[in-house]
Amino acid sequence: MTRLLITGGAGFIGSNLAVAALASDAVGAVRVLDDFSTGSLRNLDGVDVEIVEGSLLHPDVLDRALRNIDAVVHLAAIPSVPRSIANPVASHAANATGTLLLLEACRAHGVSYVTAASSSSVYGANPALPKHEREWVRPLSPYAVSKLATEQYLLAYQSSFGLDTLPFRFFNVYGPGQAAGHAYAAVIPAFVDAVLAGRPLTVNGTGTQSRDFTYVGTVCDILLDAVVRRVVSPEPVNLAFGSRTTLLELVGLVEEVTGRPATLKHGPVRAGDVPHSQADNAALRALFPGVVPTELRVGLERTVSWFCAGVAR
């Protein structure tokens, strides 16, 4: 039975993963490490996990978090491109330096497996679609640079120290538990929240920019399968399925699912944003042939239900 540590386990993806892991027969115990700078203790209400509060940047915290742990899913980060532009040093410290310190602590504690979240933002200025893992990368923001460091540290520790690792490049993960109501909210919760509340929703730019949205339940299924089977890759792996939805198309879907009209307000294009994102999913399919992704409309229906239940308020 795997003893699992989830860094950033009080966040949106981490808390969903904790619930999924506890339902698995292959996981014996789940420990969460979080400093609650972006995650919330409320996300873990009723979830039977051990919580270690603190930062990856503190060695004593890492020592407590990694004691008697077999595998790590590393999700802790300061997320968002705009946030990194507002404070590049903080993003680098949490995302790049934090990953390095975690990997060193994993070596010291004999942890045998680490998988982690990188980001599609590393592709940056590369215009190729779909995005293939062997295409060149050109990050456009401090966040993207820090995520490139995250994935490359995992691969370096794999080749240098024999640590089993698998870095995933996440693409626009969404679903229940992803809150709106703050300046750095992701696009789907921001749109859903605005439409349900009858407020104008802001579309940065023309709305023709496109994204490859991935439902959080699908992401958690893959992360958990990676841990249980100890899936390793010598290269980063896109975690998305090659869909491509424009923001205006997304607005239309949100209107259909909620049954309410949206009022649009266009804002300027955000610095560091890429115009289009779509994953080549060949590597993901080869490593996880049994995965069945959740369709965007179905995922939106579940997300809207979560909002309507009042959990997000």
Side-chain angles (χ1 to χ4, degrees):
M1 299 283 278
T2 299
R3 295 163 297 185
L4 178 64
L5 173 68
I6 305 172
T7 73
F12 156 54
I13 300 174
S15 56
N16 275 279
L17 178 61
V19 172
L22 288 168
S24 168
D25 293 336
V27 176
V30 176
R31 185 179 295 156
V32 162
L33 170 60
D34 207 297
D35 66 1
F36 301 106
S37 58
T38 57
S40 171
L41 192 58
R42 186 178 66 177
N43 291 337
L44 296 172
D45 279 352
V47 183
D48 186 20
V49 296
E50 178 188 354
I51 298 172
V52 175
E53 183 174 356
S55 168
L56 291 168
L57 301 176
H58 297 153
D60 60 323
V61 172
L62 286 172
D63 284 339
R64 284 190 285 120
L66 289 167
R67 194 171 298 128
N68 300 318
I69 288 295
D70 302 309
V72 175
V73 177
H74 176 38
L75 304 174
I78 294 180
S80 110
V81 167
R83 189 179 267 133
S84 76
I85 291 173
N87 193 338
V89 173
S91 287
H92 178 89
N95 303 353
T97 304
T99 298
L100 175 59
L101 294 175
L102 172 67
L103 290 169
E104 275 294 277
C106 284
R107 283 210 301 147
H109 284 267
V111 174
S112 60
Y113 185 80
V114 181
T115 184
S118 178
S119 166
S120 61
S121 64
V122 303
Y123 291 110
N126 185 339
L129 290 176
K131 309 292 187 185
H132 190 281
E133 294 90 343
R134 291 190 175 179
E135 288 279 352
W136 55 272
V137 296
R138 189 70 54 78
L140 295 175
S141 67
Y143 171 75
V145 172
S146 72
K147 281 301 185 179
L148 185 59
T150 293
E151 68 179 44
Q152 294 302 314
Y153 269 130
L154 259 71
L155 297 178
Y157 270 65
Q158 183 184 133
S159 60
S160 297
F161 305 112
L163 180 63
D164 287 343
T165 64
L166 174 57
F168 283 111
R169 288 176 178 169
F170 286 11
F171 284 66
N172 293 90
V173 183
Y174 73 98
Q178 190 176 34
H182 59 86
Y184 302 115
V187 63
I188 284 182
F191 281 11
V192 170
D193 187 59
V195 170
L196 290 177
R199 298 191 312 270
L201 59 85
T202 300
V203 175
N204 294 107
T206 63
T208 57
Q209 59 268 51
S210 59
R211 297 292 181 262
D212 195 341
F213 294 103
T214 316
Y215 184 65
V216 67
T218 305
V219 170
C220 290
D221 287 346
I222 292 170
L223 289 172
L224 190 55
D225 189 28
V227 167
V228 171
R229 293 194 293 118
R230 296 298 199 267
V231 180
V232 175
S233 173
E235 297 178 337
V237 176
N238 291 335
L239 206 171
F241 294 89
S243 63
R244 189 176 170 200
T245 305
T246 69
L247 297 189
L248 293 180
E249 289 170 338
L250 176 63
V251 171
L253 277 171
V254 171
E255 288 180 313
E256 291 177 18
V257 171
T258 61
R260 303 185 187 188
T263 303
L264 272 61
K265 178 175 68 175
H266 286 269
V269 175
R270 298 190 308 183
D273 271 0
V274 297
H276 300 289
S277 184
Q278 180 187 23
D280 183 302
N281 65 3
L284 182 71
R285 292 287 193 181
L287 291 171
F288 302 91
V291 67
V292 179
T294 300
E295 294 181 1
L296 178 57
R297 185 185 184 92
V298 173
L300 280 175
E301 289 171 350
R302 294 173 184 171
T303 303
V304 169
S305 293
W306 179 78
F307 271 87
C308 288
V311 181
R313 299 287 191 265

